[in-house]
Amino acid sequence: MADLYNLSVPVLIRYLGRLDGMLGCLSAYAADQGRDEATFLVLSLSDGMFDLRRQVLIAADFTVRSLRPIAPALEALPSAEATSVAELRLRIAERIAALSALRPEDINGKESSLVCERAGEARFESDAMTFVTQYALPNFFFHLVTAFAILRMAGVPLGKADFDGFHSYPPDFRFI
């Protein structure tokens, strides 16, 4: 079984970087279209859902929330707040830096530590491994994918390669 560090830290850093790249694509697209970036930040997929700005902030914060219960060094990082794409990218960079400072020995060996957290209105208790793999990472990816979907819906030219950095398709490729 992989250790907790390798299941979490490199994954979170990689996909925070992907999220930062998506915001870079948003900036380029907005400039190309002559549109204000702020008009994109208030978009959501439907009524009652958080807008793009909040989805990005929640995804960024879930990286810290994922590991804070077992990595006390992350306690110093406050909740993210931002009102512009540049500020969102700065919050992402801060989280990448904080996660990059963690070492395997800061986390490994704490897999069975008790974690108590809130999931909406519910109280969630589990061991650290279960918390990270079954709660925190899925929640991070939920908000990351939702941000990606909002950007796609808004016309920002993003594809699977922008999301994961592994895929490659020829220009103008379409699945349907």
Side-chain angles (χ1 to χ4, degrees), residues 17 22-23 28 32 36 43 53 61 66 94 111 115 118-119 123 129 134 137 161 176:
M22 291 179 220
L23 292 175
D32 186 55
D36 183 353
L43 298 175
R53 181 187 71 85
D61 273 350
S66 298
E94 290 167 353
E111 291 81 359
V115 174
R118 294 212 57 85
R123 182 170 161 73
M129 180 65 87
Q134 294 184 31
L137 286 173
I176 55 171

Side-chain angles (χ1 to χ4, degrees), residues 78-97:
S79 292
E81 196 47 62
T83 58
S84 68
V85 171
E87 288 175 353
L88 288 169
R89 294 183 81 185
L90 180 60
R91 299 293 88 78
I92 290 169
E94 290 167 353
R95 275 128 187 87
I96 290 172

Side-chain angles (χ1 to χ4, degrees), residues 51-105:
D51 61 18
L52 175 63
R53 181 187 71 85
R54 182 61 53 199
Q55 296 291 349
V56 171
L57 289 171
I58 293 170
D61 273 350
F62 248 103
T63 63
V64 173
R65 190 173 170 191
S66 298
L67 299 172
R68 183 177 279 153
I70 57 172
L74 292 175
E75 289 292 333
L77 198 58
S79 292
E81 196 47 62
T83 58
S84 68
V85 171
E87 288 175 353
L88 288 169
R89 294 183 81 185
L90 180 60
R91 299 293 88 78
I92 290 169
E94 290 167 353
R95 275 128 187 87
I96 290 172
L99 293 170
S100 296
L102 292 175
R103 301 162 307 178
E105 56 268 23

Side-chain angles (χ1 to χ4, degrees), residues 34-170:
R35 295 175 61 190
D36 183 353
E37 293 175 355
T39 63
F40 293 88
L41 296 180
V42 298
L43 298 175
S44 65
L45 292 178
S46 70
D47 292 337
M49 288 188 78
F50 288 126
D51 61 18
L52 175 63
R53 181 187 71 85
R54 182 61 53 199
Q55 296 291 349
V56 171
L57 289 171
I58 293 170
D61 273 350
F62 248 103
T63 63
V64 173
R65 190 173 170 191
S66 298
L67 299 172
R68 183 177 279 153
I70 57 172
L74 292 175
E75 289 292 333
L77 198 58
S79 292
E81 196 47 62
T83 58
S84 68
V85 171
E87 288 175 353
L88 288 169
R89 294 183 81 185
L90 180 60
R91 299 293 88 78
I92 290 169
E94 290 167 353
R95 275 128 187 87
I96 290 172
L99 293 170
S100 296
L102 292 175
R103 301 162 307 178
E105 56 268 23
D106 295 332
I107 297 170
N108 289 341
K110 298 181 180 178
E111 291 81 359
S112 61
S113 300
L114 180 64
V115 174
C116 300
E117 188 63 53
R118 294 212 57 85
E121 297 298 317
R123 182 170 161 73
F124 179 75
E125 287 187 18
S126 74
D127 61 86
M129 180 65 87
T130 301
F131 174 76
V132 169
T133 60
Q134 294 184 31
Y135 176 74
L137 286 173
N139 273 277
F140 166 73
F141 279 105
F142 173 85
H143 293 286
L144 174 67
V145 168
T146 303
F148 175 84
I150 292 169
L151 291 168
R152 285 288 307 259
M153 179 191 73
V156 177
L158 295 174
K160 206 171 198 179
D162 299 294
F163 182 83
D164 69 12
F166 294 114
H167 286 80
S168 178
Y169 299 102

